Amino acid sequence: MAALIDDKTKACRKARSLASDLVLYYSTKLQAGLENDNFYEALEKELDEARAFYKDSVTPEIYSSTNYLERAIM
């Protein structure tokens, strides 16, 4: 297992990378969600997986004190 990210800059980079992956791998689903005004519902499973992965990648302190992933998704 890789070491947990404990640097805010690296955590922010990780969050942006996860958001970018969502756009890359789920572009069709994302586009449909935007067109139908149900983005969060359309990508609920994928967003939950990204959130879980991010939580498992950063220290508890970083996770509880920042909202980098949510900001990257918006």
Side-chain angles (χ1 to χ4, degrees):
M1 183 171 136
L4 294 178
I5 297 169
D6 63 355
D7 177 83
K8 288 186 176 186
T9 302
K10 290 179 182 178
C12 189
R13 190 177 308 130
K14 178 61 125 183
R16 289 192 317 264
S17 174
L18 288 170
S20 178
D21 286 350
L22 288 171
V23 171
L24 179 66
Y25 293 110
Y26 301 104
S27 61
T28 304
K29 213 174 196 184
L30 186 146
Q31 184 65 37
L34 292 173
E35 289 173 1
N36 298 320
D37 198 27
N38 68 341
F39 171 81
Y40 290 102
E41 292 84 8
L43 290 167
E44 182 176 12
K45 177 182 169 248
E46 292 80 4
L47 291 169
D48 288 344
E49 289 174 358
R51 287 179 182 118
F53 185 78
Y54 179 75
K55 184 177 183 177
D56 290 343
S57 299
V58 300
T59 62
E61 295 79 20
I62 294 282
Y63 184 78
S64 65
S65 68
T66 65
N67 64 345
Y68 294 141
L69 183 59
E70 297 306 316
R71 287 177 51 197
I73 290 170
M74 296 175 137

